[in-house]
Amino acid sequence: MLTIVIILAIIAAIAFYVIGIYNRLVSLKNRFENAFAQIEVQLKRRHDLIPNLVETAKGYLSHERETLQSVIEARNTASAGLKAAAANPGSAKAMADLGGAEGALTQAMGRLNVVMEAYPDLKASQNMQQLSEELTSTENKVAFARQSFNDAVMHYNTYRQSFPPVAVAGMFGHDQDASLLEFEDSAQIQVAPKVSF
């Protein structure tokens, strides 16, 4: 009788331990998904500001339509990448696609800033100054949100890969690491964008 009680106690302890592992995996996954939601908010804000910036610039840059069009196309691609990544945060392909699209958008915005330098009236425009300031602020928020997301992904991956969670993670649907969100121009994105007027 005592042997049965000891065996049941050991089985119960193992069961509670496995339940603890499962709950921790779920908690860590929810954290990185929430962190991605914060990135999504900031990137949507960025994507929403860009058409306003382009519309403001159109009056001054009438012969720069190609530059303005490339910014809008890059913004639309980045928006589509964000939608796909939001459907599956942590997916390696979705994060790579989003990183590439955001990198292309940053490059297009850089080209627009170079073009705008040649137009002092545009740089002096109150609307352009306000939009540029909001965009810079949003870029900073994106960087902070991305750092938070990558930290949450790192914690999830570290726990999932450690022993004993690695032995049971696959049984609970946690069979793959989440992917970090890295932009193609990681070195450049560490520096806040400079918009001069």
Side-chain angles (χ1 to χ4, degrees):
M1 182 68 168
L2 183 60
T3 314
I4 294 175
V5 170
I6 292 173
I7 292 173
L8 289 176
I10 291 172
I11 291 172
I14 292 171
F16 281 119
Y17 189 69
V18 170
I19 289 169
I21 290 172
Y22 173 79
N23 288 339
R24 179 91 169 127
L25 286 167
V26 168
S27 173
L28 291 171
K29 184 177 182 184
N30 287 341
R31 283 185 192 167
F32 85 71
E33 287 177 346
N34 179 57
F36 185 81
Q38 302 310 310
I39 292 173
E40 183 180 16
V41 166
Q42 297 307 324
L43 289 178
K44 280 183 179 178
R45 176 181 156 90
R46 178 187 192 206
H47 298 163
D48 290 345
L49 285 171
I50 290 171
N52 295 333
L53 186 77
V54 168
E55 200 57 41
T56 301
K58 271 185 184 177
Y60 295 90
L61 306 175
S62 57
H63 63 283
E64 299 285 352
R65 295 280 182 210
E66 184 178 313
T67 301
L68 296 172
Q69 188 61 35
S70 71
V71 169
I72 291 297
E73 287 172 7
R75 179 249 183 216
N76 292 342
T77 301
S79 290
L82 178 59
K83 218 176 259 188
N88 192 6
S91 158
K93 181 177 179 350
M95 292 300 111
D97 290 349
L98 177 59
E102 285 298 326
L105 177 57
T106 299
Q107 289 175 349
M109 291 299 295
R111 287 190 301 274
L112 177 61
N113 285 335
V114 167
V115 168
M116 287 179 358
E117 287 294 320
Y119 296 87
D121 291 343
L122 175 60
K123 290 181 358 179
S125 161
Q126 183 67 26
N127 284 345
M128 186 57 75
Q129 287 178 353
Q130 182 180 3
L131 286 168
S132 294
E133 186 176 313
E134 286 183 40
L135 198 56
T136 300
S137 171
T138 300
E139 295 290 342
N140 291 333
K141 291 175 184 175
V142 167
F144 289 124
R146 193 183 75 168
Q147 179 63 46
S148 177
F149 171 76
N150 286 343
D151 287 346
V153 165
M154 184 202 59
H155 289 299
Y156 171 79
N157 289 345
T158 300
Y159 183 74
R160 197 196 71 70
Q161 294 168 4
S162 63
F163 185 79
V166 71
V168 295
M171 292 186 289
F172 297 132
H174 298 271
D175 50 345
Q176 292 199 6
D177 284 346
S179 290
L180 300 172
L181 176 57
E182 298 177 324
F183 295 137
E184 289 178 358
D185 58 349
S186 280
Q188 295 171 349
I189 208 158
Q190 299 304 320
V191 178
K194 294 182 182 176
V195 180
S196 59
F197 287 98

